[in-house]
Amino acid sequence: MIRYLAKRLGYYAVLLVAAVFLAYALSSAALGPRTYFEAKQPRPSAASVDRQLTALNINDRTPVVERFATWSGGLLLRGDLGRTIHDTSVNEEFGRRIWVSLRLLLLGSLLGMVLGVAAGAFGAVRQYRFSDRALTVLSFVLLSMPVFLVALFLKNGAIAAKDAAGHEVVPFVGYETPGLTGGAGAHLADWGLHLLLPTLALALGGLATYSRYQRSTMLDVLGSDYLRTAEAKGLTRGRALLRHGLRTAIIPMSTMFAYSFLAILTGAAFTETIFAWHGMGEWFIQAINEQDVNSVVAVNLFAAVAVLAAGFLADALHAALDPRVRY
Amino acid sequence: MTAVLPTAPAGPRPAVPTGRLRLVLARLRAARGVLVGGAIVLLLFALAFLGPYLTPYDYAAPDYAAIRQPPSAAHWFGTNGIGQDVFAQTLRGLQKSLVIGLLVALLSTGLAGLVGACAGYFGGWTDRVLVFLVDLLLIFPSFLIIAIVSPKLRGAGWLAFVLLLALFNWMVTARVVRSMTLSLRDREFVRAARYMGVAPLRIVLRHILPNVSSFLIIDATLAVGGAVMSETALSYFGFGVRPPDVSLGTLLAAGTDQAPVFPWLFYFAAGLLVLFVLAVNLIGDGLRDALDPTSDRSGT
């Protein structure tokens, strides 16, 4: 198992390098930082534009491979992600925003997965009863909604609740109340409240996807011989389901986790923008509109590492749950 | 964003004898989903392409005498901030979104079938290179790449946007097709064709692809819904269809801020979007139950 995981890790490292270069080349080719500087008032001279671009290592007249070498050299030697178009440090911005996004990503994906697996297992056990049907309909409707629409519905609901109650019921802007006084407890409660809607927007999509898959794999397991054997050994139905049924049924979910993480990253970018969270997603959309190459690359790097980490986690989970993975 | 996900590795399949009645019932249920979904999709297409003849208003014509009016007999969906008829606008947006969804699904599923089948059939280096390419493209959420490239395509119109969406939407399907091809490759009829000296590419097209066609049909159906969702999301954030062109995404973007006060600017477009994707998913799910009895992703 260790050998298998080490092999996967090596492959992921190669993929990561290729992917980051791809992102770098693409961002450099597609974005036009030169136009950003040329549009400044009063209009700077051509020489001064060139100088500024070169200083930021985003001059399109330098070959892209050379720029990439400079950039990756700085990253590998000093952990330096370069400068933004406003000549501030990308690292500082990155450090500020990553925690905002990770909070949302981890909570949203975990909550979606746990709820989805629970709902799917529950639906399978109560197949064709009313509760199962209701869950199926709900997951179907959720699957047919883009995440940004779910987020907008939640936000509009919060606005409507505010108008009806005359005061804010659930916060729908930002991730903390500015100027909040009080101890750590008050801060935590405030964070939790602000997390509620964005996390829910992310988790609902996960819930829909996971529950459908979990339900169908669980149904396969429910009719299986070894479950009957476990019950014949004297385990109660509930214990047999938990110990033997759920474990087998969760295995395919680990593969799903890796793929669905892509969707969650995308969803988080939308959710952040809608709820005015200053996270990675918002930064990305902003950076594209400002032709800020290094910031765009930094967000891509974050996404690539996150996706590969999720993939590796899925591999590890798969290997741990499924004794057949030994090659 | 795609609703299409890889087939989970099949667990041990129970040997439950399926009664004829149960099978027929399951088929019927599937058929019902396909019929209901199909009817909704047809109705929506009719609405999108014939609906404009029901209204005297042009989608782009402003009317400063009727600004932000609620739905009425004159303006069925009300009017927006510059007095344009929301009904005409929504139909126009629906047209665009439907066409984009269909085209993207066709292109991306076709590409996925071809790449997956070639990788699986030829094996060796072809396989390695293609799988590496798939993995590479799967590292980034496609939204990131499309958003980066889309400003470059600003002048190229919406067909370029369709190509871009299709180009980053085929990888997961290609993977599944590849693993299906691996098991098809050693079947007698493929071997026979090979020993008879049929050209490899011809074998892929004539023997492999038809045998994964039911999966591809299901996948293409679900991809329509996924593509429409991607289109609206990208357009919503200004990376897809751009004003003055109208799609459901641009309508939602325009109506968002006013949704709490002027709900008709937002909820008609949102409702039609969800209804369409829901109908497509119903069809896809029903087809999966009907065409693919061995699938471990059976729906209801």
Side-chain angles (χ1 to χ4, degrees):
Chain A
M1 174 166 148
I2 298 291
R3 254 193 59 202
Y4 162 73
L5 287 181
K7 234 161 78 177
R8 296 300 292 168
L9 206 57
Y11 180 60
Y12 287 156
V14 174
L15 267 178
L16 181 65
V17 173
V20 170
F21 176 69
L22 194 76
Y24 193 92
L26 209 64
S27 310
S28 306
L31 300 172
R34 182 175 292 276
T35 50
Y36 170 85
F37 282 108
E38 282 172 350
K40 278 193 169 169
Q41 295 296 342
R43 194 173 164 168
S45 70
S48 129
V49 169
D50 259 337
R51 221 182 11 259
Q52 282 173 320
L53 287 169
T54 308
L56 300 177
N57 190 33
I58 48 175
N59 193 335
D60 46 317
R61 293 186 187 158
T62 320
V64 76
V65 178
E66 204 174 305
R67 270 180 285 155
F68 181 71
T70 312
W71 177 84
S72 51
L75 179 63
L76 292 173
L77 295 176
R78 300 186 303 279
D80 179 13
L81 290 162
R83 315 285 294 168
T84 70
I85 199 131
H86 310 295
D87 201 17
T88 55
S89 155
V90 171
N91 285 52
E92 271 175 32
E93 193 75 12
F94 196 96
R96 245 200 312 276
R97 291 176 178 270
I98 190 169
W99 299 113
V100 177
S101 286
L102 276 182
R103 215 183 304 169
L104 187 62
L105 276 173
L106 290 176
L107 274 173
S109 55
L110 278 177
L111 193 71
M113 195 166 164
V114 171
L115 285 178
V117 168
F122 177 77
V125 174
R126 306 186 48 94
Q127 197 183 7
Y128 301 142
R129 301 236 190 106
F130 175 75
S131 52
D132 173 38
R133 287 204 186 286
L135 276 172
T136 303
V137 171
L138 177 74
S139 69
F140 234 92
V141 172
L142 282 173
L143 273 182
S144 310
M145 279 193 200
V147 177
F148 82 96
L149 207 57
V150 176
L152 283 171
F153 282 154
L154 289 172
K155 189 178 175 180
N156 288 343
I159 293 172
K162 178 185 169 183
D163 291 342
H167 62 88
E168 195 173 71
V169 185
V170 188
F172 51 88
V173 173
Y175 45 90
E176 58 192 7
T177 308
L180 183 80
T181 51
H187 269 288
L188 265 183
D190 181 60
W191 273 8
L193 263 184
H194 279 90
L195 262 169
L196 186 67
L197 290 183
T199 312
L200 204 59
L202 271 188
L204 283 175
L207 168 90
T209 331
Y210 283 115
S211 68
R212 289 184 58 71
Y213 282 82
Q214 178 70 29
R215 181 179 176 278
S216 67
T217 50
M218 193 80 181
L219 280 176
D220 286 351
V221 169
L222 283 179
S224 65
D225 296 338
Y226 60 85
L227 203 69
R228 214 168 300 125
T229 312
E231 278 185 65
K233 271 191 337 194
L235 284 177
T236 59
R237 177 133 184 101
R239 292 209 52 168
L241 274 177
L242 273 181
R243 294 257 325 253
H244 299 267
L246 206 58
R247 177 173 168 170
T248 321
I250 281 181
I251 290 175
M253 290 306 114
S254 60
T255 322
M256 284 265 320
F257 174 72
Y259 283 108
S260 70
F261 198 75
L262 280 167
I264 285 176
L265 267 180
T266 315
F270 299 156
T271 313
E272 280 175 11
T273 310
I274 285 165
F275 288 105
W277 279 50
H278 306 305
M280 296 299 236
E282 187 206 49
W283 187 24
F284 176 74
I285 291 175
Q286 216 171 293
I288 285 192
N289 292 328
E290 288 179 337
Q291 318 293 334
D292 186 351
V293 177
N294 286 336
S295 297
V296 170
V297 173
V299 178
N300 272 303
L301 180 71
F302 165 76
V305 171
V307 168
L308 288 175
F312 186 68
L313 202 68
D315 288 338
L317 199 69
H318 198 159
L321 285 171
D322 191 345
R324 287 172 303 182
V325 180
R326 297 278 189 276
Y327 50 86
Chain B
M1 303 279 317
T2 46
V4 189
L5 281 150
T7 315
R13 294 205 63 75
V16 183
T18 315
R20 175 175 287 260
L21 187 68
R22 259 190 65 187
L23 199 71
V24 170
L25 277 178
R27 290 280 159 105
L28 269 179
R29 243 209 323 278
R32 202 181 57 189
V34 174
L35 286 177
V36 172
I40 296 174
V41 168
L42 282 179
L43 278 174
L44 284 176
F45 264 95
L47 178 70
F49 289 95
L50 303 176
Y53 297 111
L54 298 176
T55 171
Y57 302 102
D58 177 61
Y59 78 97
D63 175 4
Y64 298 112
I67 286 180
R68 289 206 191 93
Q69 289 191 336
S72 63
H75 296 281
W76 294 353
F77 287 3
T79 60
N80 69 6
I82 51 172
Q84 291 167 321
D85 181 63
V86 177
F87 180 69
Q89 286 235 307
T90 309
L91 295 191
R92 174 84 188 179
L94 189 63
Q95 278 181 19
K96 182 69 86 211
S97 292
L98 293 186
V99 170
I100 288 178
L102 275 179
L103 282 176
V104 170
L106 278 175
L107 286 172
S108 69
T109 305
L111 187 66
L114 208 59
V115 173
C118 285
Y121 184 76
F122 293 113
W125 274 106
T126 320
D127 186 34
R128 272 192 210 116
V129 170
L130 287 176
V131 168
F132 185 79
L133 185 72
V134 167
D135 283 345
L136 192 62
L137 287 175
L138 270 177
I139 285 190
F140 296 114
S142 51
F143 163 77
L144 290 188
I145 307 285
I146 294 174
I148 292 172
V149 179
S150 86
K152 270 279 187 233
L153 295 174
R154 209 160 283 213
W158 61 275
L159 273 173
F161 177 57
V162 166
L163 284 179
L164 197 61
L165 267 179
L167 209 56
F168 291 100
N169 206 9
W170 54 274
M171 294 81 76
V172 176
T173 313
R175 259 214 175 138
V176 182
V177 173
R178 174 180 170 266
S179 63
M180 290 169 108
T181 308
L182 285 178
S183 62
L184 279 172
R185 196 170 59 173
D186 299 329
R187 294 274 291 277
E188 299 81 355
F189 63 93
V190 178
R191 277 214 190 124
R194 199 159 47 222
Y195 297 148
M196 282 161 67
V198 180
L201 207 61
R202 203 181 154 83
I203 294 182
V204 167
L205 291 176
R206 294 292 299 271
H207 297 288
I208 305 273
L209 283 179
N211 277 292
V212 293
S213 61
S214 66
F215 169 75
L216 287 179
I217 291 170
I218 296 161
D219 184 80
T221 313
L222 292 172
V224 174
V228 169
M229 291 204 284
S230 302
E231 179 276 315
T232 46
L234 282 158
S235 301
Y236 182 87
F237 289 98
F239 297 120
V241 175
R242 284 192 179 76
D245 219 348
V246 185
S247 84
L248 289 180
T250 62
L251 286 175
L252 289 171
T256 295
D257 295 337
Q258 304 164 327
V261 192
F262 308 105
W264 59 89
L265 293 179
F266 181 82
Y267 286 102
F268 283 116
L272 284 175
L273 166 67
V274 176
L275 186 66
F276 175 73
V277 181
L278 193 63
V280 167
N281 283 348
L282 266 177
I283 299 176
D285 221 63
L287 285 178
R288 182 189 296 156
D289 286 357
L291 291 175
D292 198 358
T294 57
S295 130
D296 55 353
R297 320 191 288 177
S298 49
T300 351

